[in-house]
Amino acid sequence: MNLEDNSPRRPPLEPVLPLINVVFLLLIFFMVAGQLAPRPTVDVTAPNSAEAATEEDPSQLMLILDKQGVLFHDGEPVAEASLATLIAKHQAEREKEAADKAAANGAAAPAAEGGQETTLPLVRLLADAGVPLSVLRENLGKLRDLGVEEVRLVTQSENTP
């Protein structure tokens, strides 16, 4: 009796095909669903910068200033009268999110002298590269008068399309 089998047999294949399918489907899902930051709906060209070394929070209030000096938010023009309301509403939402996050972590929210923490209003401003400096300065003055403590100008890196 011969215990050795001399017939040419292939070794059993590892079940790799289902793994490849899952990885491919995940890749497609993240390519379709993934979005780093929402693109502005207003046609503006951001000024170029040599480098962008800061991390930006996409949940911060984003205003867009076009060439004619009109401010936009979410593709809609913002009247000067409603700008204060928009900033206050967005600030209240940010403070509520911070309080909810602190409550979810089980930690008490740090209190300032007034008994409640207040974060400084911060606005990201995407000004078109063709906006005259006088128009930009005028809009920055409006934001300062409305209590905005910090304005970050959004630019595009020379290395990105």
Side-chain angles (χ1 to χ4, degrees):
M1 183 156 119
N2 188 0
L3 294 177
E4 292 183 27
D5 188 13
N6 291 334
S7 65
R9 273 188 169 174
R10 288 192 282 168
L13 291 176
E14 294 293 324
V16 179
L17 188 59
L19 177 66
I20 292 172
N21 288 340
V22 168
V23 170
F24 180 71
L25 287 174
L26 285 173
L27 176 68
I28 296 298
F29 172 76
F30 285 114
M31 285 174 50
V32 171
Q35 181 177 352
L36 296 176
R39 293 240 180 230
T41 55
V42 180
D43 186 27
V44 293
T45 304
N48 289 330
S49 66
E51 71 179 64
T54 60
E55 295 276 332
E56 290 296 325
D57 182 6
S59 67
Q60 293 170 338
L61 179 62
M62 171 89 155
L63 295 176
I64 300 171
L65 182 65
D66 70 354
K67 289 181 183 178
Q68 288 76 29
V70 179
L71 282 172
F72 289 87
H73 175 67
D74 287 340
E76 300 293 324
V78 178
E80 189 173 337
S82 64
L83 188 58
T85 307
L86 176 68
I87 292 171
K89 177 182 160 193
H90 193 269
Q91 186 66 20
E93 289 174 1
R94 299 264 306 171
E95 289 175 359
K96 182 180 182 304
E97 287 174 7
D100 291 345
K101 190 181 227 183
N105 291 337
E113 291 178 14
Q116 199 174 15
E117 177 187 0
T118 57
T119 57
L120 300 175
L122 179 117
V123 172
R124 294 184 313 150
L125 180 64
L126 172 57
D128 192 281
V131 171
L133 183 59
S134 60
V135 174
L136 179 62
R137 184 178 295 161
E138 177 184 324
N139 282 286
L140 289 174
K142 288 178 194 175
L143 292 172
R144 182 191 61 229
D145 293 343
L146 293 173
V148 175
E149 295 290 325
E150 184 177 348
V151 176
R152 293 188 180 176
L153 294 177
V154 178
T155 61
Q156 69 179 4
S157 175
E158 294 175 347
N159 300 332
T160 59

